[in-house]
Amino acid sequence: MRARAGAPPAEWRVSEGLIGYEDAVAWMEARAAAIASGEARECVWLLEHPPIYTAGSSAKEADLLEARFPVYRAGRGGQFTYHGPGQRVAYVMLDLTRRQRDARAFVCALESWIIATLSDFGVKGERRDARVGVWVARPDKPRGLAGETAEDKIAAIGVRLRQWVSFHGVALNVAPDLTHFSGIAPCGVRETHLGVTSLEDLGVRADMRAVDAALRSNFERIFGPSTEVQSPARNDHR
């Protein structure tokens, strides 16, 4: 999924504080349009949101169990998910025309990116054919009704393509409040042996800067070089 030879490096942006969801989406959509028209470079934007729920194109109303936080209808694929402090959101704006016009291969590459990042912290992340995202086996938790090994989701993936430019992206649970997920059936998952986890929940003490460094090094290995630039403006709690 690397860009063809001679393509400029993707911009790498990291925002401090909490960025309002609507502001982030507006910036991201404008940037994706500029990439498609050849007016801007590809971009990866790392940030955190205040506590919110977002509903993807496949979201079912029954999966919103309790609207504990503001709910936004997102243009990405997928179902309901949670964003909040302690979760590293990575919005990925890449031009697949310069890479590979294959949506499935792109999602697989995003999963590989997160799996490689988790490995840097001694965590074995895994993909599941029937469940998008990255999962961690939890043999320490009760099995399912049919004896299935318990598993927890540690990273959600939801993307959209417009003119073969991607936007939205991935959300990696570093140290969020996991009780905040209780207002939704995350990604439509309701099986009792399937839950959510984080690096902190798994006993890994990693600050966000260390996670960002691992994300960047693994991004460059899978997608190609990046160059750090100033992040979009901070908009706390908006």
Side-chain angles (χ1 to χ4, degrees):
M1 194 53 69
R2 298 177 72 87
R4 58 175 174 254
E11 292 184 358
W12 189 268
R13 297 173 175 260
V14 181
S15 285
E16 301 294 334
L18 302 179
I19 304 298
Y21 185 73
E22 291 178 314
D23 295 317
V25 170
W27 192 94
M28 180 170 48
E29 290 195 341
R31 185 54 180 260
I35 293 169
S37 65
E39 298 173 359
R41 291 188 181 187
E42 296 176 307
C43 179
V44 178
W45 182 16
L46 305 187
L47 53 84
E48 294 174 83
H49 287 306
I52 58 169
Y53 296 133
T54 68
S57 57
S58 302
K60 301 177 178 63
E61 289 302 320
D63 288 336
L64 179 61
L65 307 179
E66 180 186 0
R68 299 177 58 190
F69 306 111
V71 179
Y72 293 94
R73 302 295 162 178
R76 59 167 174 79
Q79 302 185 51
F80 275 102
T81 194
Y82 164 79
H83 295 312
Q87 181 190 73
R88 179 50 92 205
V89 174
Y91 287 135
V92 183
M93 291 151 273
L94 300 182
D95 186 354
L96 299 195
T97 297
R98 307 178 196 176
R99 296 170 179 273
Q100 183 181 353
R101 282 193 173 193
D102 186 326
R104 182 170 295 182
F106 177 58
V107 171
C108 183
L110 292 175
E111 290 174 337
S112 295
W113 176 31
I114 298 302
I115 289 169
T117 298
L118 291 171
S119 180
D120 287 349
F121 295 95
V123 173
K124 184 180 180 182
E126 299 176 305
R127 59 170 55 90
R128 294 290 179 261
D129 291 340
R131 294 184 255 123
V132 175
V134 178
W135 296 78
V136 177
R138 300 299 305 268
D140 54 312
K141 290 188 171 184
R143 290 179 173 267
L145 297 177
E148 307 96 330
T149 299
E151 298 179 344
D152 285 341
K153 194 171 195 175
I154 194 167
I157 296 176
V159 297
R160 184 174 180 180
L161 298 176
R162 183 180 293 159
Q163 294 180 280
W164 287 103
V165 175
S166 68
F167 53 111
H168 295 281
V170 305
L172 173 61
N173 295 333
V174 179
D177 184 339
L178 294 179
T179 67
H180 288 182
F181 284 86
S182 64
I184 57 172
C187 300
V189 174
R190 291 174 175 268
E191 290 89 338
T192 57
H193 67 290
L194 301 178
V196 292
T197 191
S198 66
L199 287 174
E200 181 181 62
D201 183 52
L202 294 171
V204 177
R205 293 187 177 275
D207 63 31
M208 203 64 81
R209 288 189 178 183
V211 172
D212 291 349
L215 283 168
R216 187 174 184 184
S217 64
N218 287 296
F219 175 88
E220 292 186 335
R221 183 174 60 82
I222 294 170
F223 294 98
S226 67
T227 182
E228 189 166 355
V229 299
Q230 185 176 358
S231 66
R234 171 177 173 171
N235 294 298
D236 282 2
H237 299 88
R238 291 179 59 188

